[in-house]
Each structure stands twice: as C-alpha cells, then as structure tokens.
Amino acid sequence: MRPGFFAAAPRPLAIAHRGGALLGPENTAEAFAASAGVGAEMVETDLRLSADGAFVCLHDADLTRLAGYPRRVADTDLATLRTILPGLLTLDEAISASAPLGLLLDVKLRDPGILPPILAALEAADALPRSLLGLRDIDLIAAARRLSPEIAILALLPDPDSVAEARAAGADGFRLWQGDATPERLDAVRDAGMTTVIMAGQPRSVPEPGYPPFPVGRIDALGIARILALGPDAVMLDDPSLLLSARTVTGPSSI
C-alpha cells in the first residue's frame, strides 16, 4: 500500500465494513464512532449518486432492504433520501465523520466521470493520505491511477485470480473474499507487490451452503483464526472488535 497511514498501521488492519454494521446503523456516523471506540483502524463505506448528483453512503441500489421502499437511489434526490434515512451521510460528511481513521470508499459506480469529484473532495479535506479507493473495474482502476499517483487503490474485482491485471492497472491492494482466500492466492497478491485484504463472509446477504457459513461481513472465532493464519494485511468485517480481540491474543503480523 502507499506509504504513510497504511504503512504505519498494525497488521492485520481492522476495517469496519459498512462503517461497522453490527455496531450501529450501517454507513452512519454512529457506526463510525462505535468502530473507532472499539479500536478499528479504518471504516469502509459505500458510494452511490442521488438523482440530483450528491454522493451518498448507501450500499444498495434501492431502498427496499433499509427502508422498505423499492425506489432506486439514483432516482431519488438527496432531500428525499435524508427524509427516508435520517442518518444518511454524504461523501463530505463521511470524510469528516471518519477522521482520524482510515477511510475505504467502496465505489459502486463504473463511470470514470465520478472519479475527479471524489478525489477533489478527499484532497479538499486533506484526507487523501488516509483514504483508500475501492474500485470494481479494471478500466476504472486505470483511470483513477492516471488522475492521481497518490491515491491508494484497492481492487474489488469479482475474479479472485485477476491479480496481475489489477496490478498492471495501478491497484495497490487486492480484496479476496473469505471463501476464496487460499494461501496460494494471498501469495500471488504479495508477489505482485500488493496489500492483501480479506472480506469476511460470503458475497451475498443471505448465505448459500458452503464455506464460510455467514453472509457478507459476518464471521465467528473459527473464521477469524483461519484468516489470521493466512497473515493478511487487513480484514474487513461488520464487527471489528472480533478481529481486534483475536489480534491482541495472537499478536500482529507484519509485512
């Protein structure tokens, strides 16, 4: 990962998924504060665009799960979103609420045109050194790297074996889902010179049969122990205190 904030943090870094979704309402300042309170080093939040062009911290494309409304985020203006979800954060508010923790932005958008305003917001708040841009498309990673040599980029790609492509595009880190996190894949990420990040749970809200037996962000003590044995640089989970407790017992790994 880029020097500075990430290089100095203990390992494995505790990243609070959706701000710490088991500690407070997901992607809210309340969850951020709770995660900071238990000792997380970084919070992760999601970015989408409202109908009137505001960056908002929402995971889902619509409001069904969070509020029982089937309407799409992209079709709803910011004022209406705030009425439905009073704890909603905009990008600027998330940058402020996350300080001084690290901030991972999971960008749910694929249009390269969204990158300049995101980077500008981070730069204006002097948050670039503690920020990590999570991108889901090779072309978007390359576009972000062309725009900013300084921003740290995490590849959130669906193919766990696309390490070489992510590195060539300019990514600094690579996310592996818990079920895909084999020693061989972590070695491939390290050999490419990238940071290893493991995402707890399955890539779905309702788990299917198989390992791990939990939905996205959830994990148990056995899962934590298996992940720590792999020696990743960071772990993303809904309750970072689970990782922090285990890390205290086993001691931090190093890179």
Side-chain angles (χ1 to χ4, degrees):
M1 195 61 71
R2 305 265 144 176
F5 178 92
F6 304 101
R11 294 295 191 273
L13 194 77
I15 304 176
H17 178 242
R18 299 186 195 173
L22 278 176
L23 303 181
E26 67 179 58
N27 290 325
T28 65
E30 180 183 341
F32 288 10
S35 293
V38 301
E41 287 90 22
M42 176 176 285
V43 293
E44 178 265 353
T45 193
D46 305 285
L47 276 191
R48 292 190 179 276
L49 273 178
S50 68
D52 49 349
F55 285 106
V56 291
C57 297
L58 285 169
H59 176 274
D60 298 358
D62 63 47
L63 302 175
T64 303
R65 179 178 61 89
L66 290 178
Y69 289 86
R71 65 194 301 167
R72 288 171 48 81
V73 174
D75 298 331
T76 310
D77 62 75
L78 177 60
T80 303
L81 289 170
R82 285 196 188 281
T83 300
I84 298 170
L85 298 170
L88 177 71
L89 294 174
T90 63
L91 172 58
D92 289 340
E93 290 164 346
I95 293 170
S96 177
S98 64
L101 301 180
L103 177 62
L104 166 55
L105 297 173
D106 182 345
V107 181
K108 301 297 188 184
L109 310 159
R110 302 287 180 107
D111 178 4
I114 53 91
L115 292 171
I118 293 173
L119 292 169
L122 294 172
E123 290 173 357
D126 293 323
L128 208 61
R130 64 178 179 89
S131 297
L132 180 56
L133 203 56
L135 302 175
R136 298 170 170 272
D137 180 86
I138 289 290
D139 291 340
L140 201 59
I141 292 171
R145 180 54 67 224
R146 289 192 295 270
L147 286 169
S148 173
E150 294 83 20
I151 187 66
I153 299 173
L154 176 65
L156 302 174
L157 302 176
D159 181 359
D161 297 313
S162 56
V163 172
E165 295 88 341
R167 185 56 172 162
D172 303 287
F174 195 89
R175 185 277 315 273
L176 286 167
W177 284 92
Q178 185 180 348
D180 294 328
T182 63
E184 294 77 16
R185 285 188 171 123
L186 267 80
D187 284 344
V189 177
R190 295 187 190 103
D191 290 346
M194 290 192 288
T195 297
T196 55
V197 179
I198 295 179
M199 176 70 231
Q202 296 184 16
R204 51 188 63 88
S205 297
V206 178
E208 296 176 357
Y211 179 81
F214 299 107
V216 57
R218 307 299 176 93
I219 196 168
D220 60 7
L222 178 59
I224 290 283
R226 289 182 176 182
I227 285 178
L228 287 176
L230 294 169
D233 298 312
V235 181
M236 215 184 320
L237 67 172
D238 284 1
D239 182 356
S241 67
L242 300 176
L243 173 67
L244 292 162
S245 297
R247 194 177 74 186
T248 299
V249 172
T250 61
S253 60
S254 61
I255 58 171

